[in-house]
Amino acid sequence: MTAPSARQQGMTLIELLVAMSLMAILSVLGYQGFSALLIARERLLSVSAQWVDLARVFARVGHDLDRLPPLDGADPRPRLLLQGEPTNQVLSVWLPGTPSPGSLDQVRYRAGQEGLAWSSSRADGQFFPLLSSGARVQWRLQLDDGRWVEQWHGASANRPRLLEMQVRDRALGSVTRFWRLP
């Protein structure tokens, strides 16, 4: 007869089943965590793209307003108009034209249910989208006497000194930007 051997090496069936069960539970939890991470990443990328779009719109409006010539008594042509109702407005800006020094190029921003769109007198009436329909844009002007108006046709003795643009979006919340006018 042989002498009894030392304790056998290895795992019992129960130990193996417990280890496999724990591994399965950890795998499921890891998958759920990874899935949540991917969803959060997609949301973050979407909101980030909306912020970039909004920054581009602010830069475009700011660039156009920087080119706005100051009002003077010698040239009675309007340089800026704000028309429409608060839910459907058009901001028109006349800028020095590039083809000839005396010409004016009309740039329009249309804010409404479809979002914000941009057009130029060179675009033959075609509007190009700047912000999606999820964004609600509202414009206001502050006049020399301190009043805020949502329409301005250029006939008043009070001239606009400040332009306010308010953007409301579900993802971004409410963002307001001001520009000083010449």
Side-chain angles (χ1 to χ4, degrees), residues 49-62 109 130-131:
Q50 288 176 304
W51 278 110
V52 168
D53 289 345
L54 186 60
R56 285 184 183 141
V57 168
F58 286 160
R60 176 181 288 273
V61 172
Y109 293 92
L130 295 176
L131 293 176

Side-chain angles (χ1 to χ4, degrees), residues 12-179:
T12 65
L13 182 58
I14 293 177
E15 290 172 335
L16 191 58
L17 289 174
V18 168
M20 288 176 59
S21 299
L22 287 174
M23 189 62 159
I25 290 171
L26 290 175
S27 295
V28 167
L29 291 176
Y31 176 76
Q32 289 175 344
F34 187 67
S35 176
L37 181 67
L38 289 177
I39 291 171
R41 179 181 177 269
E42 289 301 318
R43 286 185 188 150
L44 180 63
L45 288 174
S46 172
V47 170
S48 175
Q50 288 176 304
W51 278 110
V52 168
D53 289 345
L54 186 60
R56 285 184 183 141
V57 168
F58 286 160
R60 176 181 288 273
V61 172
H63 176 72
D64 286 346
L65 293 175
D66 286 344
R67 293 178 43 217
L68 188 67
L71 291 173
D72 60 14
D75 188 359
R77 294 182 291 185
R79 299 290 192 258
L80 183 122
L81 294 178
L82 181 58
Q83 301 167 316
E85 298 300 317
T87 56
N88 192 13
Q89 293 178 305
V90 175
L91 176 71
S92 299
V93 180
W94 281 267
L95 303 172
T98 23
S100 62
S103 68
L104 292 177
D105 183 23
Q106 182 184 15
V107 174
R108 292 178 294 170
Y109 293 92
R110 183 177 64 196
Q113 297 295 329
E114 67 280 350
L116 181 67
W118 175 90
S119 181
S120 169
S121 55
R122 293 176 280 163
D124 297 324
Q126 183 178 4
F127 278 86
F128 302 96
L130 295 176
L131 293 176
S132 69
S133 61
R136 300 288 180 245
V137 177
Q138 186 175 1
W139 305 90
R140 291 192 319 164
L141 290 168
Q142 186 181 37
L143 303 179
D144 281 335
D145 62 3
R147 287 183 301 131
W148 286 96
V149 294
E150 294 172 345
Q151 291 183 6
W152 195 72
H153 301 287
S156 170
N158 285 319
R159 295 185 310 178
R161 288 294 172 203
L162 194 64
L163 174 67
E164 175 191 73
M165 178 182 179
Q166 186 175 49
V167 180
R168 290 185 191 96
D169 187 273
R170 184 178 303 152
L172 305 178
S174 181
V175 180
T176 303
R177 175 72 199 264
F178 297 92
W179 289 275

